[in-house]
Amino acid sequence: MEVQGASELERESVDFTGSSALRMTEIPSEAPKRTVDNTQTPPTLSSQSISLRHRPSRLSKYGVAFQPPEDDAIHYHDDAKEMPFFAKGRDFESTFTNHKYTSEEKETLRTYESQDYLPSHSEVYKNWIKRQPSRLDWDLWVMMGLIGFVVGFIGFLLHQTIEWLTDIRINKASEYLAVDNLLLAWGWCVGFSTLFLLFGTVFVVYLRPSAAGSGIPELICFLNGTQVRHIFNVKTLVIKFISCCLSVGSGLPVGPEGPMIHLGSLVGAGISQFKSDTLKVQLPFFERFRNSEDRRNFVSAGAAAGVSAAFGAPVGGLLFSMEEVSSFWNDKLSWQIFFCCMISVFTSSLFNSAFKGFDFTGSFGLFKSTQFILFKVYQGFDFHIAVFVPTILIGVLGGALGGVFTIINLKIARARKRILSSIASSQLQRLCRVLEPLIILILYISISVFLPAAFPCTPFQCMVKSNQTTGEQLWCEKQSAGRSLSWLANISDTQFYNCPPGVVLNSTDQTAVFTNKTYNQVSTLLMTNGERAIKRLFSRETHAEFEFFPLLAVFLVYFLCACWSAGTAISSGLVVPMLLIGAIYGRMIGIAMVKMFGVFIGNTLWAWIDPGAMALIGAASFFGGVTRLTMSLTVIMMELTNDIQFLLPIMVAIMVAKWVGDFFTHPMYHALLELKCIPFLASEPIVYNSRKRRLNLELYTAGNVMSSNVVTFDDRENVKNIAEVLLNTTHSGFPVLGKSNKGHQVFVGTITRLELTVLLRHQASFIQPNKPVTCDVTAVEYEQLTIDKLDDPAATEQSLLDYANLPQYTFTKIYLVGNLVFLLAILM
């Protein structure tokens, strides 16, 4: 909420979400009264200050004068074109530098409304609470369990759908590649993937643009206290689920984990309220949860459950919600969200263990570690203190490359916004947005099919062995520089591409089979999905499975394509690409160490010199370098791999990556909020004086950043004056002043434009001249005051015009504070 008259610093850095916890502050009686009365004309704003291009009318359905851009992907500010490419405080900025907004971007920031976290404990709120069932803990636990189950089941459906589409695409392409028909394999992949991705992007562009991306930045902003439109809508949920399945299943270098977090928060926001404005449904269950505090707590729980279902990481989900997305937290909420995450993982793991691509495996109830431990590491190592040398190096690379990744992604996003905003036709804009991910997909498929042909086939000799833990494995002996290197390779994941099939020979005792099959290293990583490629890179004692230059080629392709794909008009996330990119350069460092020091299989002291172990550290470092997560990321990596032995190296890599990344850019999700011009309040703003010295904010109060000439209301205000202020001002927050027992003016609270508009639509709350004042807490119900939008903005605006122009409302008043306590629901 923006209060008119506040200074630039206040509008950019001060959060108003705490306005429900107001403190009575006396104002000296001799101070000039800045309030609107019968004889005072309400201040008006200049035409320049209300000339926002995305402002459709004076009064929108959300009750505010201005609305945020309907689609921030195509809204570009003209004065942003004048900013230098490497302008300080824009995309290339350390975390110790505030983001530098242009004048038009600041105007967009002001269009967003804030929201309170705690409900107000007023007479109207108390009257509403009295009609609700007693506040017992059991219904909270039931709701948390219900959210966890639904999110877990959605995670199961998402995983199985993506697995099913991926198997169809890869299996058919492998058949064509086996007979050396590259053109037919390319045609199949392009046709199959383009068809599904086309539907996925069309749904987003034409039906719900807010379903694009991961949704995590908008979720963070909502839980920080900013009202963001359409992010918690059943239509958004459906479109996001469909688009995520189709985009990830098509083979685009993106992942489903980010959208899964948003889907979880959607479930938490919807199920807990048992109502839907889109479906016109309002069920009479759990009505007492329909308040700001409980709703945001359930949204936090849904986000944590989404992380749990996506990664199989219940503790990581809890920590992610606490560290990254939630602004309010307490011990009781921790236990409840932990329970929600537990139910979510239980549900997704139970069903994922019993099905593969929706085919029942006949083992319902058996929890398979290969399903709920996504990247399970089967071989653990003891490590020497020397491991921290490459770990620090990998951490530095993770922070630097994470900063580069963020900067490139932001520059691509700005270029996209600038190009789309220059197109006059809205239909052509939409067409360009649909075509962009299709172009990336065709380019990526072309590289995946034809680039492996530039690399030779890798021969190996394998003896088939039976392993109850990992299934059928191949114990391989590869000739390299006159010596044999051993590694374990899963035959089901190795891509043979168009390499010679080799000859299979039986041993003399018929107990083993030998073969000289060959495979293609680049195709093994590109002609599959991201999760399977990560498993290959994390595999231990596979020193010679991949070589340096094939990994470098895959790294360049995947880094650029993933960076470009993030931000297009599809529902997708970056978690899998981040893990894969980090695992590639981590494995490259591991290969370099093997070249220098040799292979130490079975050596307790130096067995940690393993490319797979370095790949795990690299994945964690790049993830941390992009997102700057610490606690939650460390736990997530442990739960993803079950490799507790490498906890310390992973922690060191993450911390180093965060420190290095902080010198280059803001965290990825926070940088995207700045790009979208959505207000976000950091834990502590960074303010410098004219001498470039950082100020100690503990020495200042809110009064140091506020300005005068604030538009205020008396606790008993004329209807005519209220209507005139609403029609002639553009800000959304108004202080209300009352009088103490000593006759001094005191600040008693704030009221928003939407709340005032709702009150004026209910004439039962009006106080007619010469009529006795009655105290009626049911004049306007609590549910009516806490609505999100108006049913008929045009009729409401006409009513405001009538109140401002018709003489009978000149002396009609309305109590904002006082004996008519129904309004205390939003003031006290």
Side-chain angles (χ1 to χ4, degrees):
M1 157 192 352
E2 179 195 342
V3 179
Q4 190 272 342
S7 67
E8 292 296 321
L9 178 59
E10 182 192 11
R11 285 192 291 263
E12 294 178 22
S13 303
V14 177
D15 185 13
F16 292 85
T17 58
S19 60
S20 58
L22 298 174
R23 185 175 64 180
M24 305 291 284
T25 304
E26 290 198 359
I27 301 176
S29 58
E30 63 269 20
K33 181 183 179 183
R34 298 187 300 270
T35 185
V36 180
D37 55 29
N38 294 337
T39 61
Q40 184 179 6
T41 303
T44 59
L45 299 182
S46 65
S47 59
Q48 181 181 3
S49 65
I50 60 175
S51 59
L52 292 182
R53 293 176 297 166
H54 52 266
R55 176 173 174 265
S57 64
R58 184 168 298 277
L59 187 66
S60 69
K61 64 181 179 179
Y62 299 102
V64 294
F66 298 147
Q67 285 194 87
E70 287 292 333
D71 188 355
D72 53 47
I74 61 176
H75 182 73
Y76 192 74
H77 303 89
D78 291 332
D79 55 357
K81 300 175 183 178
E82 303 173 1
M83 301 296 293
F85 189 82
F86 288 108
K88 184 178 181 181
R90 296 291 284 177
D91 302 329
F92 187 76
E93 56 190 350
S94 72
T95 55
F96 311 105
T97 304
N98 285 321
H99 185 79
K100 185 178 181 181
Y101 293 99
T102 66
S103 298
E104 290 187 8
E105 288 174 341
K106 291 178 182 178
E107 293 297 328
T108 300
L109 282 168
R110 297 186 182 109
T111 63
Y112 285 90
E113 272 286 294
S114 72
Q115 55 185 354
D116 290 334
Y117 172 71
L118 294 173
S120 50
H121 291 274
S122 65
E123 293 300 324
V124 144
Y125 177 71
K126 293 176 182 178
N127 185 66
W128 176 75
I129 284 291
K130 290 176 183 177
R131 301 196 300 268
Q132 309 305 318
S134 300
R135 189 176 184 89
L136 303 175
D137 281 344
W138 70 265
D139 54 353
L140 281 169
W141 292 96
V142 168
M143 182 57 66
M144 288 292 183
L146 182 60
I147 292 172
F149 174 79
V150 174
V151 173
F153 193 75
I154 290 177
F156 156 72
L157 294 177
L158 186 69
H159 177 83
Q160 294 297 316
T161 303
I162 293 173
E163 190 82 8
W164 176 64
L165 291 174
T166 301
D167 286 340
I168 295 176
R169 174 174 55 86
I170 294 177
N171 292 340
K172 195 67 176 179
S174 298
E175 293 179 7
Y176 294 133
L177 291 174
V179 295
D180 201 19
N181 198 330
L182 300 186
L183 287 178
L184 196 57
W186 177 84
W188 159 256
C189 290
V190 169
F192 178 88
S193 300
T194 302
L195 176 64
F196 285 101
L197 185 61
L198 177 64
F199 283 104
T201 186
V202 165
F203 288 156
V204 170
V205 171
Y206 287 91
L207 299 180
R208 183 60 77 183
S210 59
S214 66
I216 296 178
E218 291 80 3
L219 171 63
I220 294 172
C221 207
F222 172 82
L223 292 176
N224 189 251
T226 301
Q227 185 68 44
V228 184
R229 313 299 182 195
H230 305 307
I231 62 169
F232 297 123
N233 184 281
V234 66
K235 187 176 179 181
T236 304
L237 187 148
V238 174
I239 298 300
K240 199 169 195 74
F241 178 85
I242 295 174
S243 178
C244 181
C245 290
L246 298 180
S247 59
V248 179
S250 67
L252 204 64
V254 293
E257 287 77 12
M260 189 63 231
I261 297 171
H262 188 195
L263 289 171
S265 65
L266 277 160
V267 172
I271 288 184
S272 64
Q273 305 300 295
F274 270 85
K275 67 175 183 177
S276 171
D277 294 336
T278 303
L279 301 178
K280 308 298 182 184
V281 173
Q282 185 166 332
L283 301 177
F285 305 109
F286 297 100
E287 292 182 344
R288 78 173 185 88
F289 293 146
R290 295 172 187 171
N291 61 78
S292 58
E293 179 183 10
D294 286 328
R295 184 168 185 254
R296 286 172 71 174
N297 286 344
F298 288 127
V299 169
S300 297
V307 175
S308 303
F311 297 108
V315 181
L318 169 67
L319 292 177
F320 176 85
S321 181
M322 180 180 68
E323 178 183 2
E324 181 67 5
V325 301
S326 299
S327 297
F328 296 89
W329 202 265
N330 57 65
D331 291 339
K332 185 176 180 181
L333 183 61
S334 299
W335 287 106
Q336 292 167 347
I337 293 182
F338 180 78
F339 174 72
C340 181
C341 294
M342 180 190 71
I343 297 297
S344 176
V345 172
F346 175 86
T347 304
S348 60
S349 299
L350 177 66
F351 287 98
N352 281 327
S353 296
F355 293 88
K356 180 175 175 58
F358 292 112
D359 291 332
F360 183 59
T361 60
S363 56
F364 187 81
L366 176 65
F367 287 83
K368 300 175 182 177
S369 61
T370 54
Q371 294 297 325
F372 66 84
I373 302 178
L374 200 58
F375 306 124
K376 184 175 182 179
V377 173
Y378 294 96
Q379 181 66 39
F381 297 128
D382 297 329
F383 60 87
H384 190 268
I385 192 174
V387 75
F388 293 106
V389 175
T391 293
I392 293 175
L393 173 61
I394 291 174
V396 171
L397 278 176
L401 291 174
V404 171
F405 185 91
T406 302
I407 292 173
I408 294 176
N409 180 262
L410 294 175
K411 293 302 181 184
I412 292 175
R414 292 192 187 277
R416 180 186 299 115
K417 289 161 69 76
R418 183 170 183 173
I419 293 172
L420 291 174
S421 65
S422 65
I423 301 175
S425 172
S426 61
Q427 293 299 323
L428 186 57
Q429 281 182 343
R430 292 177 175 178
L431 179 61
C432 291
R433 295 191 66 192
V434 170
L435 290 177
E436 183 187 10
L438 299 179
I439 293 173
I440 300 173
L441 178 65
I442 294 174
L443 177 64
Y444 181 72
I445 289 177
S446 301
I447 295 174
S448 300
V449 172
F450 295 109
L451 179 63
F455 292 86
C457 296
T458 303
F460 58 85
Q461 295 179 346
C462 303
M463 180 179 67
V464 177
K465 300 180 68 176
S466 177
N467 188 302
Q468 295 180 354
T469 303
T470 60
E472 185 182 42
Q473 303 287 332
L474 299 178
W475 182 261
C476 307
E477 293 290 331
K478 174 188 173 184
Q479 298 298 323
S480 176
R483 56 177 178 164
S484 295
L485 299 179
S486 300
W487 76 97
L488 205 63
N490 193 322
I491 190 172
S492 61
D493 289 337
T494 302
Q495 286 294 326
F496 300 107
Y497 194 58
N498 60 350
C499 299
V503 178
V504 178
L505 300 174
N506 292 328
S507 61
T508 55
D509 57 2
Q510 301 296 319
T511 58
V513 176
F514 296 90
T515 178
N516 61 349
K517 287 180 177 293
T518 56
Y519 68 99
N520 189 287
Q521 298 181 32
V522 175
S523 182
T524 297
L525 296 178
L526 290 181
M527 287 298 295
T528 185
N529 64 5
E531 292 183 1
R532 297 175 185 176
I534 294 171
K535 291 179 181 178
R536 302 289 304 179
L537 294 169
F538 282 179
S539 59
R540 301 292 173 86
E541 295 186 351
T542 57
H543 301 73
E545 185 174 2
F546 297 104
E547 297 174 350
F548 187 86
F549 287 106
L551 288 177
L552 179 62
V554 175
F555 173 81
L556 295 175
V557 170
Y558 210 87
F559 186 94
L560 296 176
C561 289
C563 195
W564 187 8
S565 299
T568 55
I570 55 172
S571 175
S572 62
L574 278 173
V575 174
V576 166
M578 287 188 292
L579 292 175
L580 181 56
I581 291 169
I584 291 175
Y585 70 72
R587 194 170 184 100
M588 291 167 65
I589 292 178
I591 291 174
M593 294 176 64
V594 169
K595 295 289 186 182
M596 290 187 292
F597 304 110
V599 178
F600 298 92
I601 294 180
N603 187 311
T604 304
L605 189 61
W606 303 106
W608 58 269
I609 303 180
D610 186 282
M614 296 298 106
L616 173 59
I617 298 175
S621 71
F622 190 74
F623 199 158
V626 174
T627 64
R628 315 298 156 75
L629 296 174
T630 53
M631 298 180 299
S632 59
L633 176 56
T634 300
V635 175
I636 287 173
M637 294 304 298
M638 292 298 97
E639 294 179 299
L640 276 175
T641 61
N642 198 36
D643 190 8
I644 192 66
Q645 289 174 281
F646 261 63
L647 173 62
L648 277 177
I650 288 175
M651 292 176 66
V652 171
I654 290 173
M655 287 306 303
V656 172
K658 173 179 170 52
W659 289 333
V660 173
D662 283 345
F663 282 99
F664 291 97
T665 64
H666 288 183
M668 180 70 164
Y669 299 135
H670 296 183
L672 289 175
L673 288 176
E674 294 162 351
L675 173 69
K676 296 171 182 287
C677 295
I678 303 177
F680 174 78
L681 184 69
S683 57
E684 181 179 347
I686 301 171
V687 183
Y688 294 92
N689 59 18
S690 57
R691 292 175 294 177
K692 304 299 182 182
R693 295 181 60 183
R694 185 170 176 178
L695 298 180
N696 185 352
L697 298 183
E698 294 183 12
L699 302 177
Y700 298 88
T701 64
N704 294 111
V705 296
M706 296 185 69
S707 61
S708 59
N709 299 324
V710 179
V711 178
T712 65
F713 289 123
D714 280 335
D715 54 359
R716 184 187 296 187
E717 193 59 69
N718 287 341
V719 171
K720 175 182 176 66
N721 292 339
I722 296 176
E724 288 178 346
V725 169
L726 292 179
L727 290 170
N728 291 287
T729 60
T730 58
H731 59 283
S732 298
F734 303 90
V736 179
L737 303 180
K739 286 189 177 182
S740 67
N741 295 332
K742 298 180 180 180
H744 295 165
Q745 282 189 312
V746 292
F747 172 67
V748 295
T750 59
I751 186 168
T752 66
R753 175 180 293 270
L754 181 60
E755 292 160 345
L756 281 170
T757 305
V758 171
L759 287 173
L760 293 182
R761 291 300 305 272
H762 293 78
Q763 296 192 13
S765 61
F766 292 178
I767 305 170
Q768 300 298 333
N770 304 321
K771 292 292 182 67
V773 177
T774 60
C775 180
D776 183 10
V777 297
T778 62
V780 179
E781 292 288 351
Y782 176 75
E783 297 93 333
Q784 296 171 322
L785 286 173
T786 55
I787 63 173
D788 295 325
K789 56 187 177 182
L790 300 172
D791 294 332
D792 193 345
T796 301
E797 186 168 6
Q798 183 59 48
S799 297
L800 294 180
L801 291 172
D802 292 341
Y803 295 148
N805 297 322
L806 296 179
Q808 61 264 36
Y809 296 106
T810 302
F811 301 103
T812 301
K813 293 191 175 184
I814 184 172
Y815 260 17
L816 300 186
V817 183
N819 293 328
L820 200 59
V821 291
F822 64 85
L823 194 54
L824 293 179
I826 52 177
L827 293 178
M828 302 298 287

